[in-house]
Structures are given as C-alpha cells and as structure tokens.
Amino acid sequence: MVSRVIPVEQFDLIIFGGTGDLAKRKILPGLYRRFLSGQIPEGSRIIGAARSEHGVEEFRDIVRSAIAEHVAPDKHDDDAISGFLNSLEYVTIDALGTGGWKELAALMRPSVVRAFYFSVGPSLFGAIAERLKKYKVTDDESRIVVEKPFGHDLPTAKALNETLSRHFTEQQIYRIDHYLGKETVQNLMAVRFANMLFEPLWNARNIDHIQITVAETVGVGGRGEYYDKSGAIRDMVQNHLMQLLCLIAMEPPYAFDPDALRDEKLKVIRALEPVEPDDIVRGQYLGDDEGPSYLEDCGNPSSLTESYVALKVRVSNWRWKGAPFYLRTGKRMRARSSEIAIVFKDPPHSIFGDQAGQNPNVLVIRLQPNEGMNLTVTIKEPGPGGIRLIEVPLDMTFKEALGAEADDIPDAYERLIMDVIRGNQTLFMRGDEVEAAWAWTDPIIAQVEDRANRPKPYEPGSSGPEESLILMHRDGRRWREVKV
Ligand code: NAD
C-alpha cells in the first residue's frame, strides 16, 4: 500500500493571496485532493485572505472553478466538493494596511494548528509577519509558509531571514521548494539510504559524472517582464537544481530528521567550488511559428538575461573530487523533462574487447514526466555467435509498478502542506541553507553580469545552445538526450 492516508491534526490554514494564481492552480486544488483522500479532519478550515473584496460565497465560487479547472475529472466528487467548500472562509485583508487584521484574529481558535501560507509577492512577507504578531493572530506554535523567490541575492535573502526571525523562530518558518515535495526526490533518499546496492558505489571512484536536467517546453510568456529581472540561474539553479544536487551529493544523515538532513545539505553547498567562466553557458531562445523569441517575450531587445543555463559544478570533498555535476535548465526546449542521471564509470578492463561495445551503467531518476527510475545494465545480445554487448533498462515507472495506487500519490504541494500541519520541516529549506546557496550563486551572477556577454541564441524545440554541447564534449562526455 503506497498511499496510506494518515489524517493530520485539525488545523486552520490561512492563505494570504488566496485568490492568486498559485493558490488557484496548486494550493487549493491540492487541499481538495487531500480532503477527498480523507487526510483533512472534520472541523479544519481554510481561510482565504487577500486584498480583493469578496464574501465567503464568492470565494467558494472561485475555489469551485479552480477545482473544476485544475483537478482531474475522475476526482470530482460532488459531496466532497461541497464538504470542502464548506470548510472555506474568507477575509478581505490588506497586507500593507490595517483592514481585516482584527477580523482575522477573531477567527482564530485555541488548540487548533495554525498555519499561514504567504502566497503573495516577497515584498509583502515582512508586512504580513509583522501584522500577524501585532494583531495577535499567531501563537507560539503557529507556522508560516513562504514561497519562492526567497531573496534576489545574498543581501536580500539575509534581510528577509532577519525580518521573519524578528517575529518567528526558525522552527516556525517553512521555506517551500516544491521540488523537495516530489515523490521521486524523496525516493532518491530511499534508494540511497535504504538499500545496500548503491551507497558503496556512490562516489567519484565509481561515478564518472552526474547530469541534472530540468527542461521546459514553455517560454516565459506573460511573465516575461518579471522573469527578465531574474533569469534561469536565480529562478531555477539557486533553489531547485541546488536542492537536487544536495540530495545526491550529501553524506547520509544520522536520521531522517529535519536538522540532520539540512546540516548535510548545507555541508554540500559549502563544498561547492566557484564556477569558472568557461564552465558556464547561457542561452536565450529564438522565436518560431509557435511563439516569440525570449527578447520579444520579455519586451527588452537588449536583455542579457538567460532563459537557459548549463554549468559544470565541482563539489570539493573526498566523496566527489573528480566527478563533476553538470546542471542545465531552460525554457522552450525539446521536451518537458526533468531528470537526474548518475553516469557510472566504465569497468576498468573489458574482457570482451573493444569490438563488443560497452556503455557505462546509468541510473536515471525521472522527476517528470513518468516519475520513476531506470538503471541501464549491459548484457549480452541474445543469439548465437560472438559476444556483443547491449544495454537494457531495468525500468521502474511508478505508474506501472504501483498501478492504480500511483494515481493517489500526492502532488508536491499537497505533501508539503500536510508536512507543515504535522510540524515536519525535513523537506523545507533552512535559513542558513538558503543563504549559503545565494553565497555560491551570487559570484556566478556577478561574473556573467560583469562580462556582459550576450547569452547564446538557441532554437526553440532544441536542447539548448551548441556551446552547451561543447561544455561536455571537451571533457569527453555527452549530455543525455532531452526527451519525454
Ligand atoms: P498573484 O499575483 O496571482 O496573486 C497574488 C495574491 O496576493 C492575490 O490573491 C492578491 O489579492 C494578493 N495580494 C496582493 N497584494 C496584496 C496586499 N497588499 N494585501 C493582501 N493581499 C494581496 O501571484 P501568484 O502567482 O499566486 O504568486 C504568489 C507567490 O507565489 C509569489 O511570491 C510568487 O513568486 C510565488 N510563486 C508562484 C508560482 C506560480 O506558479 N504562480 C510558483 C512559485 C512561486
């Protein structure tokens, strides 16, 4: 049984920005799915809090439409939907003003878990944190959940940490990186630390290199202007790709415990070497029949912001010296595909000779689509005659391995919100971890900004600029194909 549902304690979840895009696409549909599964106990409430003037019925209508649009039709259950909508409340509140705060405080109940989800722009985090305290909306057990981006660089991330820590302890702050809520990402830890097979090989003596790819087919679209202030390094590498790298590279924590795990991740970030100028390739997608170019999308013909980046990253410690991590992420690429590939070394000597053909073992952890794992193993091609070697996959697609139960695997946001209610911070980033990640990323960004090199153009539907292939070729390696 994979999806055993363990109900959480009764809670009140207050969503600041409850009428915004993230709330409508992810948070509220996810909460509905948890309600449907029976994980949310009766009496729990979800309170939308946003600037827009709405009555509770209007908010329920908004959420009803969000469920219709963002929850799979086979999960539309009229009774569950009306039960869920009945658990909703709404408060019109101004994060920067005084309106709505007393009303929100009056809604709070003692001895019920209180969580406050900041699904608003980061410029409002400080104002909300301050007012939550000032109007006595929170208690010592209350939790706050903050969305990305957590800072724009090290100074802004530090300032944000300082602001939040003025009102809340570190144990109350849940910095979300939804990549950590993905089933396969957690499975990566299970594969490493619950099996004897891989961990003894998990080092530079046996692993040649690691590739982490997060490819998207969509462009920046309507978010162009906002994205142009950020770029792929800030938007993806500093947080999501960094988290994946940490989980692969870290030492086994002494327990699956929030601080034990985060201590190990932090050590990895601190062991990252600065990235050399030759080890980074940035790109911008061109336009085609299906969409405008990046420069058109962002409305700035002279933009130097990257929509694609590939990096060679070295982890400077005993385990990884000599086995680099190659990271790449981009928009408008050939396929929507996120994967981690652990490429093992060739055997030291081939008894079958060069003609037999020998390829390294590769362990691929697929984050999307088709979450699962795949290990390529070399075997003999069947049939008479001499030995010719072929690669075959040992494939575990969760959908196939787990059948219908895979459909009930909670999405990343659902799992993470339930963890907030349980008070489990294991899959959330700690303040020092975020700062360390910016401390490594800032010089990379400063370096590319100083050189003011125009990012290399790449064809939409490709796997990025040519130069990123060279990044691998000069080391005698090749990127895996970007495919579904
Ligand atoms: P949005 O603009 O769609 O929604 C913003 C919400 O905040 C609205 O409900 C609005 O009413 C409310 N709001 C704005 N100003 C307010 C004020 N002064 N007082 C009270 N409420 C106010 O934004 P979004 O896309 O939902 O993003 C919210 C946060 O989540 C941002 O920090 C964003 O970076 C982050 N995020 C969004 C996504 C996504 O897919 N949309 C993904 C990851 C992170």
Side-chain angles (χ1 to χ4, degrees):
M1 184 79 178
V2 285
S3 49
R4 196 154 51 95
V5 171
I6 303 170
V8 293
E9 272 182 70
Q10 201 180 62
F11 65 86
D12 284 338
L13 174 68
I14 297 85
I15 309 174
F16 291 102
T19 56
D21 176 67
L22 182 68
K24 286 193 289 197
R25 276 192 314 110
K26 290 286 181 188
I27 305 172
L28 289 157
L31 285 163
Y32 163 71
R33 282 189 290 264
R34 291 297 91 212
F35 184 89
L36 181 66
S37 77
Q39 197 164 17
I40 298 187
E42 211 166 305
S44 296
R45 297 180 308 176
I46 293 149
I47 304 174
R51 203 169 32 171
S52 4
E53 296 267 356
H54 292 301
V56 65
E57 288 308 325
E58 270 176 289
F59 181 57
R60 287 177 181 165
D61 286 342
I62 292 172
V63 179
R64 193 195 306 276
S65 309
I67 293 172
E69 198 177 339
H70 300 292
V71 174
D74 63 333
K75 301 244 184 279
H76 292 188
D77 175 310
D78 288 344
D79 287 345
I81 292 179
S82 72
F84 180 70
L85 295 178
N86 277 335
S87 73
L88 302 179
E89 303 283 349
Y90 185 80
V91 183
T92 301
I93 213 159
D94 182 2
L96 299 172
T98 52
W101 290 98
K102 287 193 183 126
E103 290 79 354
L104 182 61
L107 277 176
M108 296 297 101
R109 305 177 287 177
S111 55
V112 168
V113 173
R114 274 179 232 175
F116 298 84
Y117 200 126
F118 292 14
S119 181
V120 292
S123 60
L124 299 180
F125 291 177
I128 294 178
E130 188 190 320
R131 284 164 179 73
L132 282 174
K133 268 290 156 78
K134 180 171 164 195
Y135 290 94
K136 301 195 172 44
V137 189
T138 53
D139 60 15
D140 290 347
E141 301 298 314
S142 297
R143 289 125 216 202
I144 62 167
V145 183
V146 290
E147 261 300 336
K148 87 166 206 188
F150 198 88
H152 185 72
D153 51 20
L154 180 58
T156 49
K158 271 190 166 158
L160 198 47
N161 273 335
E162 269 165 33
T163 306
L164 296 181
S165 66
R166 242 178 270 140
H167 308 288
F168 296 96
T169 64
E170 184 60 36
Q171 285 65 37
Q172 294 180 287
I173 305 172
Y174 289 71
R175 295 175 193 79
I176 234 171
D177 184 326
H178 70 274
Y179 269 59
L180 289 177
K182 286 180 186 283
E183 185 70 19
T184 1
V185 172
Q186 290 165 67
N187 231 318
L188 171 61
M189 289 183 273
V191 164
R192 283 194 63 191
F193 303 132
N195 292 285
M196 200 46 213
L197 203 56
F198 295 110
E199 200 48 31
L201 301 177
W202 211 259
N203 55 51
R205 278 189 302 286
N206 303 293
I207 291 173
D208 181 70
H209 72 280
I210 285 131
Q211 300 185 15
I212 304 179
T213 301
V214 177
E216 295 176 90
T217 51
V218 292
V220 295
R223 291 173 61 232
E225 204 181 317
Y226 158 82
Y227 185 92
D228 203 44
K229 296 191 197 92
S230 167
I233 303 176
R234 284 193 171 96
D235 193 46
M236 297 295 293
V237 175
Q238 185 274 343
N239 39 50
H240 305 317
L241 276 81
M242 172 74 80
Q243 289 295 322
L244 299 180
L245 183 152
C246 284
L247 295 179
I248 300 164
M250 72 182 181
E251 295 302 312
Y254 70 84
F256 193 59
D257 158 276
D259 279 327
L261 191 92
R262 295 183 299 177
D263 286 346
E264 296 305 335
K265 286 198 288 167
L266 182 61
K267 285 185 209 161
V268 173
I269 303 174
R270 292 194 172 142
L272 296 178
E273 287 182 20
V275 172
E276 301 290 330
D278 287 348
D279 289 344
I280 176 164
V281 175
R282 299 184 314 132
Q284 278 175 345
Y285 57 82
L286 295 165
D288 66 0
D289 298 346
E290 284 167 35
S293 67
Y294 176 75
L295 294 177
E296 288 160 328
D297 267 342
C298 74
N300 173 8
S302 53
S303 167
L304 297 178
T305 304
E306 73 285 345
S307 63
Y308 172 99
V309 67
L311 299 157
K312 178 179 178 180
V313 178
R314 295 177 181 83
V315 183
S316 197
N317 62 21
W318 276 45
R319 190 189 278 266
W320 294 113
K321 190 83 192 169
F325 286 66
Y326 296 90
L327 317 184
R328 66 179 160 167
T329 179
K331 308 239 175 236
R332 292 224 64 198
M333 290 176 66
R334 181 174 299 143
R336 177 171 176 260
S337 161
S338 302
E339 64 164 43
I340 300 164
I342 319 286
V343 182
F344 287 86
K345 287 193 167 162
D346 288 332
H349 165 69
S350 171
I351 63 166
F352 304 107
D354 291 344
Q355 304 308 316
Q358 168 110 42
N359 281 307
N361 300 115
V362 182
L363 173 66
V364 178
I365 296 138
R366 280 191 310 270
L367 274 61
Q368 66 188 24
N370 309 327
E371 289 198 309
M373 296 196 193
N374 181 326
L375 177 67
T376 56
V377 176
T378 302
I379 62 161
K380 175 191 166 297
E381 189 176 53
I387 285 200
R388 280 187 306 277
L389 301 176
I390 54 167
E391 280 172 58
V392 288
L394 288 179
D395 201 339
M396 193 186 86
T397 301
F398 288 163
K399 268 220 154 46
E400 284 165 19
L402 308 174
E405 294 185 23
D407 289 339
D408 289 328
I409 292 178
D411 134 288
Y413 276 94
E414 294 168 45
R415 177 192 312 275
L416 293 173
I417 296 171
M418 292 301 103
D419 279 357
V420 173
I421 306 301
R422 286 197 191 95
N424 184 341
Q425 289 186 304
T426 310
L427 300 174
F428 296 83
M429 294 176 295
R430 207 168 55 192
D432 52 359
E433 207 184 322
V434 177
E435 289 183 15
W438 279 121
W440 178 75
T441 320
D442 276 0
I444 302 176
I445 296 169
Q447 182 198 107
V448 297
E449 283 177 355
D450 278 356
R451 291 195 299 164
N453 282 349
R454 176 159 289 289
K456 312 290 180 210
Y458 61 95
E459 291 295 334
S462 70
S463 50
E466 286 287 310
E467 288 76 0
S468 69
L469 305 182
I470 299 166
L471 181 77
M472 278 285 206
H473 284 176
R474 53 162 217 222
D475 294 345
R477 297 175 175 125
R478 259 189 315 160
W479 286 111
R480 286 167 52 79
E481 210 182 316
V482 177
K483 61 177 184 192
V484 176

